[in-house]
Amino acid sequence: MIKLDSLTNSIGEWLKGTGPESDIVMSSRVRLARNLAQYPFVGRASDQERGEVQQFLRSRLLQLPSRLSLDYVDVGGLGELDRQFLVERQLISREHAEAAGSRGVAIDTHEQLSLMINEEDHLRIQCVHSGLDLESVWRQISAVDDEIETVVPYAFHSRWGYLTACPTNVGTGIRVSVMLHLPALVITRQIDKVFRSLHKISLAVRGLYGEGSQAFGDFYQISNQTTLGKTEQELIAQVADVVPVLIDYERRARDFLVRETEQNIHDQVSRAYGILRTAQTITAEETMQLLSRVRMGVLLGLLDDVDVSDVNLLLVRTQPAHLQKLRGVELDTKDRNIERARFLRNYFETGSAEAN
Amino acid sequence: MRCQQCDKQAMFHITELETGEVREVHLCEDHARSYLNQSEGASQPSESPGPLGVAQTAEELSELDQKVCEMCGITFFEFRNQGRLGCPHDYVQFEQELEPLIANIHGAVEHTGRRPQRAAGSELPESTESLTRVIGLRKGIREAVEQEEYERAGTLRDEINQVLDNWHAEQQTADGTDSSQPSESPSSS
Ligand SMILES: [Zn+2]
Ligand SMILES: [Zn+2]
């Protein structure tokens, strides 16, 4: 059984802040949807069948020939705080956290792999790496998928491919996504134009979510929309091809801000930093927004006493469930906001989260 | 934030630029998909008024809705309402009905990606369709038990084991391993 508390002190793969283009690309992710041939899909399975699917997959995942070191978490048996915690780390989906019935997730020690059991499909395999690194993500996840397939009869049809509960995922069952930090495109109001051009090539864009499900910061996820009729490599390329363009736009917008509005942008960044260091109570949304500005400021060389890795760490540790787990008590919204402000002040004062 | 068209959480925040005006649309994954397919649809003319992209009268539609999957028992109507299929066999059972829908979503009707390794270079069918029979048999057992027909339940249980054994045997002869046996727990009757 995994010790969720041990995760509290690590940062998680997607916020490590390393890897190619990591000034703009936070993470690269691939997800595969798979189902067992001999069971109804999750939404139509009886409680007993769901329980059997969980047992069947759990026992096989934990005994894969390569001895992948996976820890299994019975999500159905977790309290709300722990489930929320896994969502904040992007190891399970919000839907998986909030669902009912037998369900679980297997997570590898590096938090790169997570395998959700009984989400919308029997098995959802996810692999994430820091920075822009879709190729190695694909290499890793396809090897895991192959290995599972030697011990699990995945539902497959020669014409339709891998069969999924929702026809929108049928075929490859793949979703390829890249998460980007695009503050300069937001500030210069070019982001809408960018989204519009993405829709034209049938890519989806979504914001990241904080407390109360409001979009936060300037983090956006670009992913493919179709799963059938193209190979996995083609679908990966569809996303991968657009990322350098977005990186280029964002870099140009950052350059523009420094060149044309230097004082203004310096002011914005410094104020954001100032609030984070002195606030007495602060919401998760405001924190994300300000951290996003500070992150850009650091990367532009406008703030020299903060590190990008600090900002990445704070992005995850100031989220509600993390905050409560670090504090060791459950807190209501009001107390969380006070605790969050205290945590931030302390962090910037001592330069470490451990001192809290 | 909620989806503008249903109660689910809005996952997609689409910004439309129309005649210089910015309009925000907030949708769940499913509604965003149909929304985006719609706005893209200009290049794929669908003359049909039917939700499935084929010409349908109300009568034809209600007839279609009554089609049932013989394995999991889902009706096409239930699928249309929930947007989720009941079991892998549905792709065979409703193949004709699903085809225009899938074509509409993906702009394609044929998988070209990876295929199961187990079937490669052997006589084995790639499709796992034969295994889906277990779903129907399991449903039969539940019904038999409800009606206290325990003997029938036992027969069905034997049939399940037969299907699983056959599958297992096929796999074994194919690659000499016995790893992919989908075992059935006896407690499930
Ligand atoms: Zn909706
Ligand atoms: Zn079915």
Side-chain angles (χ1 to χ4, degrees):
Chain A
M1 202 56 171
I2 197 167
K3 303 237 175 0
L4 287 185
D5 294 333
S6 72
L7 293 181
T8 319
N9 293 316
S10 68
I11 182 154
E13 179 71 18
W14 73 279
L15 277 173
K16 247 166 61 187
T18 56
E21 317 285 3
S22 58
D23 56 330
I24 292 170
V25 181
M26 304 297 289
S27 65
S28 305
R29 183 182 307 261
V30 172
R31 172 276 262 162
L32 297 172
R34 298 289 186 254
N35 286 278
L36 298 177
Q38 76 278 26
Y39 282 97
F41 293 135
V42 178
R44 201 163 174 89
S46 65
D47 289 348
Q48 169 143 10
E49 285 167 327
R50 276 183 78 136
E52 287 175 25
V53 167
Q54 164 159 262
Q55 255 188 349
F56 181 89
L57 285 172
R58 176 181 185 229
S59 63
R60 275 153 186 80
L61 292 181
L62 295 182
Q63 293 170 30
L64 289 175
S66 75
R67 302 248 193 95
L68 249 175
S69 86
L70 295 173
D71 280 308
Y72 189 80
V73 181
D74 175 12
V75 175
L78 290 180
E80 204 189 324
L81 187 61
D82 285 334
R83 284 181 278 139
Q84 176 63 29
F85 176 78
L86 292 174
V87 173
E88 288 175 7
R89 295 189 88 79
Q90 303 200 345
L91 293 168
I92 66 173
S93 64
R94 199 173 285 273
E95 290 74 16
H96 200 51
E98 289 168 3
S102 303
R103 62 198 194 283
V105 63
I107 304 166
D108 87 314
T109 5
H110 308 291
E111 288 185 62
Q112 290 181 330
L113 280 171
S114 86
L115 302 96
M116 281 188 280
I117 296 177
N118 283 337
E119 210 247 21
E120 181 181 297
D121 295 295
H122 293 146
L123 184 63
R124 290 217 163 167
I125 313 169
Q126 171 186 277
C127 184
V128 61
H129 287 183
S130 286
L132 182 57
D133 194 16
L134 282 172
E135 255 171 59
S136 73
V137 172
W138 172 242
R139 238 176 293 132
Q140 187 177 356
I141 198 172
S142 57
V144 171
D145 185 46
D146 282 344
E147 198 181 351
I148 297 172
E149 194 152 46
T150 63
V151 291
V152 169
Y154 283 156
F156 186 87
H157 184 278
S158 47
R159 178 187 186 192
W160 299 123
Y162 291 96
L163 305 177
T164 53
C166 187
T168 52
N169 296 317
V170 79
T172 56
I174 200 173
R175 170 143 313 148
V176 183
S177 29
V178 171
M179 198 203 292
L180 301 141
H181 184 217
L182 305 171
L185 287 176
V186 173
I187 295 171
T188 57
R189 297 177 196 278
Q190 297 178 80
I191 199 89
D192 295 336
K193 199 177 70 188
V194 172
F195 287 178
R196 206 178 108 161
S197 64
L198 288 179
H199 288 149
K200 283 202 183 122
I201 48 172
S202 71
L203 291 173
V205 183
R206 59 179 276 204
L208 249 191
Y209 290 82
E211 202 167 17
S213 73
Q214 269 202 319
F216 72 66
D218 308 301
F219 298 97
Y220 295 93
Q221 191 164 290
I222 315 294
S223 42
N224 62 307
Q225 281 201 84
T226 64
T227 53
L228 184 77
K230 290 193 172 75
T231 65
E232 289 83 357
Q233 282 84 358
E234 287 168 335
L235 291 164
I236 290 168
Q238 206 181 39
V239 174
D241 288 352
V242 80
V243 173
V245 181
L246 296 174
I247 291 174
D248 185 47
Y249 285 161
E250 171 68 17
R251 289 230 170 93
R252 276 197 245 173
R254 288 183 189 184
D255 285 349
F256 171 86
L257 288 174
V258 171
R259 212 173 49 238
E260 306 292 328
T261 72
E262 159 110 56
Q263 263 164 3
N264 193 308
I265 197 68
H266 199 166
D267 182 62
Q268 272 193 42
V269 165
S270 306
R271 281 169 186 268
Y273 187 37
I275 292 171
L276 288 171
R277 290 170 61 182
T278 56
Q280 297 297 311
T281 170
I282 191 164
T283 64
E285 288 80 13
E286 187 181 7
T287 305
M288 293 303 152
Q289 202 59 55
L290 297 173
L291 283 172
S292 166
R293 288 295 133 92
V294 167
R295 188 175 190 277
M296 182 182 66
V298 172
L299 290 164
L300 291 177
L302 300 172
L303 291 175
D304 46 19
D305 51 346
V306 197
D307 220 61
V308 180
S309 60
D310 290 322
V311 180
N312 290 347
L313 187 100
L314 289 172
L315 277 169
V316 71
R317 292 209 184 154
T318 56
Q319 291 189 50
H322 274 78
L323 206 60
Q324 292 171 77
K325 283 189 77 77
L326 283 168
R327 191 80 180 117
V329 284
E330 292 201 27
L331 303 164
D332 63 17
T333 312
K334 182 168 160 274
D335 287 341
R336 277 206 298 276
N337 292 344
I338 293 169
E339 173 59 21
R340 183 176 294 112
R342 195 191 69 81
F343 179 85
L344 285 163
R345 288 197 310 273
N346 230 315
Y347 188 91
F348 287 118
E349 214 164 280
T350 62
S352 102
E354 271 59 58
N356 273 264
Chain B
M1 189 179 290
R2 299 276 147 211
C3 169
Q4 291 176 346
Q5 286 175 31
C6 72
D7 230 28
K8 283 202 232 154
Q9 194 176 328
M11 300 298 244
F12 288 77
H13 304 275
I14 299 160
T15 313
E16 290 285 7
L17 287 182
E18 300 167 308
T19 59
E21 219 174 287
V22 180
R23 187 169 59 92
E24 289 249 321
V25 190
H26 308 280
L27 297 168
C28 70
E29 195 158 347
D30 293 329
H31 280 115
R33 217 171 271 287
S34 53
Y35 175 86
L36 293 168
N37 279 320
Q38 230 174 52
S39 40
E40 237 173 285
S43 54
Q44 304 173 323
S46 85
E47 289 156 25
S48 63
L52 300 182
V54 284
Q56 285 152 338
T57 64
E59 221 167 274
E60 281 170 336
L61 199 61
S62 83
E63 201 174 296
L64 201 140
D65 277 347
Q66 284 163 27
K67 286 208 170 186
V68 181
C69 168
E70 57 195 350
M71 296 308 168
C72 73
I74 195 173
T75 62
F76 199 70
F77 177 75
E78 285 175 281
F79 160 64
R80 282 209 306 129
N81 263 325
Q82 303 156 0
R84 300 289 180 275
L85 291 160
C87 80
H89 181 67
D90 298 5
Y91 284 95
V92 174
Q93 187 94 47
F94 304 135
E95 182 156 16
Q96 268 190 314
E97 293 77 20
L98 286 173
E99 186 177 320
L101 175 77
I102 290 175
N104 204 23
I105 297 169
H106 298 284
V109 290
E110 190 90 45
H111 175 60
T112 57
R114 275 147 58 87
R115 295 182 166 270
Q117 295 287 308
R118 65 180 139 75
S122 76
E123 300 286 286
L124 284 183
E126 285 183 312
S127 163
T128 45
E129 174 60 17
S130 68
L131 273 179
T132 62
R133 250 193 80 212
V134 173
I135 298 167
L137 291 168
R138 228 189 264 110
K139 187 160 130 288
I141 291 177
R142 274 202 301 277
E143 286 160 6
V145 169
E146 258 167 46
Q147 289 154 26
E148 303 188 12
E149 294 176 36
Y150 299 111
E151 211 169 307
R152 185 157 68 95
T155 315
L156 293 171
R157 162 76 41 213
D158 292 344
E159 269 188 69
I160 290 186
N161 288 329
Q162 192 62 51
V163 174
L164 297 179
D165 284 350
N166 286 349
W167 170 266
H168 181 213
E170 269 181 8
Q171 299 300 308
Q172 224 170 2
T173 33
D175 59 13
T177 67
D178 65 343
S179 44
S180 63
Q181 179 175 28
S183 68
E184 183 75 0
S185 70
S187 63
S188 56
S189 53

